[in-house]
């Protein structure tokens, strides 16, 4: 097999990414205000990025997702002064969240009966599917989540960041502290396993 | 080319990560290899499926819970007060409609402090806007907003926003804050007054935002107004009582509430729950759970 770096990439299938390499002045200013203890600035950060981190945390560990997101924001608040502006705020937050997820040791299982399912995550589709197609997909998506949980943590995280969050390999490598080739290898392995897992549902 | 290589190459092609030469090799393999053909079609459908995985919406109230948690675990005092208040003011709005039934019950309660005749002390202090005068029965450590530590034993003290009361004794201590409101701080427990406010014109104390830092407290209040002045908050929930005796205990990540009379509205950022006399609940991770083993507290 030829090395992947050989020649010119096929452009037709390239996804478009917004690859800002450094953060905007606005982001830097926001982080500076936060490191100075500005609660309003922090609330702004939370408003902007909760959904992003929640999506990562939920796919990584659905039952602990809220905890993981809260912990990530707590750390971002405590370490706001370490934000240098060399990366995007989103990358910096991803890195914190990924570390929180990867080091999470399932807390002692609190098994209690809910009187209200108030935190049931809502799935909102991007498209106006026919209802039956949407229902079918719902089953497939749940199966995908089950399959994800069975993956080794690093493969799972690479898959989430690449396929569900749409990050570039460069960003993923940076966030996870691995090289791009390792990110690619992890992604291929994750996808092989998931494809096998979902095979009965893929038509 | 091996079949497994073909699959990886196909995955790479979804990312635009293959060269024209690789693409040609892949296409050739697909045409020739019968065992691959079906699998590669599945891979394409799998990829198509991934494009449709929906982004999850954020659970209701998560942003507020994040702010509460961060406020509860960091030392930004101003930040704390602002955020907890924002729940509390929502609480007040919601509670108004529910309070009429509670008002009837309120008359049934008398705070023991009244019977002990210590209330006249309340009149001797001219309360400032951000201060309320309370009468303490028992022994407490009083940590002022300026971090000055003092001991209070059975006397009346001014309490300001930011003041902390800590019970390091073995016995509970009771703080009567208004003629209608007393908070009993159990041994090894600590509360913090995030905000107190007294209306300068009417001399009515209308805001008492208390955070339970550690241990447990019991609140006894007999109310005959629309909304309770006291909002008792933990990291998980804000509790707004009316005509009520209730107890709140804190354990890591969890708040236990036991109501022995009246009703308490529990405001979690994800919803409001009324807990009636004889009931107990636990609040953890934004969910309110019925506490099956709970007993009514004696009063
Ligand atoms: Zn083949």
């Amino acid at each position: 097999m030829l090395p992947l770096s050989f020649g010119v990439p096929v452009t037709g299938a390239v996804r478009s990414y917004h690859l800002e390499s450094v953060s905007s002045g606005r982001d830097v200013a926001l982080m500076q205000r936060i490191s100075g203890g500005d609660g309003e600035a922090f609330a702004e950060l939370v408003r902007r990025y909760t959904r992003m981190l929640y999506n990562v945390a939920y796919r990584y560990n659905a039952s602990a997702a809220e905890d993981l997101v809260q912990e990530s924001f707590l750390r971002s608040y405590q370490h706001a002064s370490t934000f240098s502006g060399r990366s995007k705020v989103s990358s910096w937050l991803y890195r914190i969240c990924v570390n929180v997820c990867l080091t999470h040791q399932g807390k002692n299982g609190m098994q209690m009966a809910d009187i209200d399912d108030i935190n049931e995550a809502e799935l909102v589709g991007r498209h106006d599917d026919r209802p039956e197609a949407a229902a079918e997909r719902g089953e497939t998506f749940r199966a995908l989540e089950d399959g994800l949980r069975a993956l080794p943590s690093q493969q799972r995280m690479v898959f989430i960041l690449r396929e569900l969050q749409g990050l570039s390999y460069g960003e993923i490598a940076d966030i996870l502290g691995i090289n791009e080739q390792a990110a690619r290898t992890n992604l291929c392995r994750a996808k092989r396993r998931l494809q096998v897992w979902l095979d009965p549902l893929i038509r | 080319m091996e079949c497994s290589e073909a699959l990886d190459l196909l995955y790479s092609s979804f990312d635009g990560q293959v060269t024209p030469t690789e693409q040609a090799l892949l296409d050739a393999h697909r045409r020739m290899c019968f065992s691959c053909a079906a699998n590669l079609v599945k891979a394409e459908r799998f990829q198509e499926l991934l494009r449709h995985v929906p982004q999850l919406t954020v659970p209701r109230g998560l942003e507020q819970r994040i702010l509460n948690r961060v406020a509860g675990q960091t030392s930004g005092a101003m930040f704390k007060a602002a955020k907890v208040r924002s729940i509390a003011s929502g609480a007040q709005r919601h509670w108004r409609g529910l309070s009429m039934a509670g008002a009837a019950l309120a008359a049934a309660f008398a705070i023991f402090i009244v019977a002990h005749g210590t209330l006249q002390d309340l009149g001797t202090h001219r309360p400032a806007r951000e201060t309320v005068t309370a009468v303490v029965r028992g022994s407490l450590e009083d940590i002022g907003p300026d971090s000055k530590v003092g001991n209070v034993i059975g006397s009346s003290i001014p309490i300001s926003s930011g003041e902390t009361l800590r019970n390091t004794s073995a016995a509970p201590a009771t703080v009567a804050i208004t003629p209608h409101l007393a908070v009993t701080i159990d041994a090894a427990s600590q509360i913090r007054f995030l905000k107190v406010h007294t209306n300068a014109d009417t001399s009515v104390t209308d805001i008492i935002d208390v955070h339970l830092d550690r241990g447990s407290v019991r609140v006894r209040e007999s109310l005959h107004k629309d909304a309770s002045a006291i909002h008792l908050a933990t990291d998980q929930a804000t509790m707004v009582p009316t005509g009520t005796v209730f107890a709140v205990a804190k354990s890591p990540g969890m708040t236990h509430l036991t109501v022995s009379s009246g009703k308490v509205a529990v405001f979690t950022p994800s919803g409001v729950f009324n807990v009636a006399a004889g009931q107990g609940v636990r609040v953890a991770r934004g969910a309110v759970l019925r506490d099956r083993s709970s007993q009514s507290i004696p009063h």
Side-chain angles (χ1 to χ4, degrees):
Chain A
M1 189 168 152
L2 293 166
L4 292 172
S5 56
F6 179 80
V8 181
V10 177
T11 52
V14 178
R15 296 189 191 184
S16 59
Y17 296 108
H18 299 285
L19 286 176
E20 285 173 71
S21 57
V22 290
S23 55
S24 66
R26 209 175 105 204
D27 276 349
V28 174
L30 186 71
M31 293 308 297
Q32 277 168 353
R33 282 170 59 201
I34 293 168
S35 65
D38 182 335
E40 284 309 314
F42 183 67
E44 174 64 23
L45 187 80
V46 169
R47 271 193 295 278
R48 274 193 219 167
Y49 293 107
T50 295
R51 190 171 188 193
M52 182 184 95
L53 295 193
Y54 182 73
N55 269 272
V56 172
Y58 186 90
R59 307 296 190 189
Y60 186 80
N61 182 343
S63 63
E66 275 220 32
D67 250 15
L68 295 169
V69 174
Q70 289 188 14
E71 181 66 26
S72 300
F73 275 109
L74 178 64
R75 290 193 195 180
S76 76
Y77 184 74
Q78 290 166 333
H79 302 288
S81 61
T82 67
F83 178 76
S84 64
R86 278 195 294 272
S87 62
K88 290 188 284 182
V89 169
S90 62
S91 302
W92 184 75
L93 286 171
Y94 270 129
R95 196 173 307 129
I96 291 172
C97 184
V98 161
N99 284 331
V100 168
C101 288
L102 294 178
T103 54
H104 175 78
Q105 310 288 327
K107 301 241 171 79
N108 42 3
M110 268 196 289
Q111 297 298 328
M112 292 182 283
D114 283 43
I115 42 177
D116 298 271
D117 285 330
I118 46 185
N119 279 331
E120 182 113 333
E122 253 177 281
L123 290 173
V124 177
R126 287 175 191 148
H127 305 281
D128 261 344
D129 291 318
R130 289 171 300 116
E132 61 269 32
E136 233 168 70
R137 247 180 212 157
E139 187 197 351
T140 312
F141 292 147
R142 274 193 292 281
L144 175 66
E145 281 165 11
D146 291 342
L148 266 174
R149 271 193 282 285
L151 292 179
S153 52
Q154 186 155 290
Q155 283 180 29
R156 195 186 329 167
M157 196 50 94
V158 171
F159 179 88
I160 291 166
L161 295 177
R162 175 67 197 165
E163 296 297 333
L164 306 181
Q165 299 301 113
L167 300 190
S168 70
Y169 287 107
E171 277 181 287
I172 293 167
D174 184 44
I175 287 163
L176 284 164
I178 57 179
N179 63 43
E180 287 191 32
Q181 189 51 50
R184 286 199 181 86
T185 306
N186 271 299
L187 183 74
C188 278
R189 286 181 182 157
K191 286 174 86 168
R192 278 169 185 278
R193 289 180 68 158
L194 287 171
Q195 193 188 321
V196 170
W197 172 262
L198 291 172
D199 188 76
L201 293 167
I202 298 173
R203 276 182 282 267
Chain B
M1 182 186 286
E2 303 261 329
C3 294
S4 64
E5 277 180 289
L7 183 59
D8 280 353
L9 210 47
L10 183 66
Y11 286 150
S12 299
S13 77
F14 298 144
D15 289 330
Q17 299 280 335
V18 292
T19 65
T21 314
E22 287 170 327
Q23 187 67 50
L25 285 169
L26 175 61
D27 291 345
H29 183 89
R30 278 185 96 156
R31 280 193 299 275
M32 293 182 310
C33 179
F34 184 72
S35 68
C36 256
N39 198 34
L40 295 183
V41 168
K42 287 247 177 176
E44 280 165 344
R45 289 187 183 153
F46 176 47
Q47 191 62 40
E48 184 56 25
L49 180 91
L50 293 179
R51 275 192 254 280
H52 292 279
V53 174
Q55 286 284 305
L56 299 162
T57 55
V58 173
R60 206 146 37 104
L62 175 57
E63 291 174 6
Q64 185 65 55
R65 288 193 290 281
I66 292 166
L67 296 175
N68 289 350
R69 163 122 177 239
V70 173
Q73 295 194 8
T74 57
S75 54
M78 187 184 67
F79 174 51
K80 267 172 220 174
K83 292 309 151 195
V84 173
R85 189 76 219 151
S86 76
I87 293 189
S89 39
Q92 223 151 10
R93 275 199 307 280
H94 197 103
W95 185 238
R96 208 149 278 156
L98 304 167
S99 59
M100 291 317 288
L105 288 164
F109 297 107
I111 298 167
F112 69 85
I113 218 90
V114 176
H116 282 256
T118 46
L119 270 179
Q120 64 268 25
D121 290 349
L122 290 170
T124 60
H125 288 76
R126 242 1 224 167
R129 287 175 60 85
E130 295 291 310
T131 302
V132 61
T133 304
V135 181
V136 175
R137 201 178 83 151
S139 166
L140 287 171
E141 266 177 40
D142 173 16
I143 303 135
D146 51 0
S147 302
K148 244 197 235 159
V149 182
N151 284 305
V152 185
I153 302 169
S155 61
S156 82
I157 52 161
I159 292 175
S160 308
S161 301
E163 198 128 357
T164 296
L165 294 178
R166 180 191 291 163
N167 186 352
T168 53
S169 74
T174 297
V175 184
I177 300 167
T178 73
H180 311 288
L181 175 65
V183 178
T184 299
I185 306 169
D186 288 329
S189 300
Q190 177 175 308
I191 61 171
R192 192 158 29 102
F193 290 83
L194 297 174
K195 184 174 177 61
V196 298
H197 183 262
T198 301
N199 186 312
D201 298 328
T202 61
S203 293
V204 171
T205 299
D206 49 8
I207 296 175
I208 303 167
D209 285 354
V210 176
H211 188 271
L212 175 61
D213 290 340
R214 187 163 69 238
S216 57
V217 293
R218 281 166 284 160
V219 176
R220 187 178 272 260
E221 66 103 44
S222 60
L223 192 80
H224 36 72
K225 285 188 305 187
D226 269 358
S228 172
I230 190 165
H231 291 168
L232 178 66
T234 63
D235 296 340
Q236 287 79 38
T238 300
M239 278 141 286
V240 180
T242 197
T244 305
V245 180
F246 71 102
V248 176
K250 183 187 163 91
S251 58
M254 203 190 293
T255 296
H256 303 256
L257 166 70
T258 314
V259 179
S260 45
S261 307
K263 272 186 185 174
V264 174
V266 181
F267 292 82
T268 69
S270 41
V272 183
F273 306 90
N274 283 303
V275 182
Q279 291 184 337
V281 294
R282 283 173 283 181
V283 187
R285 296 177 187 177
V288 180
L289 314 154
R290 183 174 289 123
D291 207 341
R292 293 202 175 83
S293 61
S294 69
Q295 305 284 320
S296 286
I297 51 166
H299 55 282

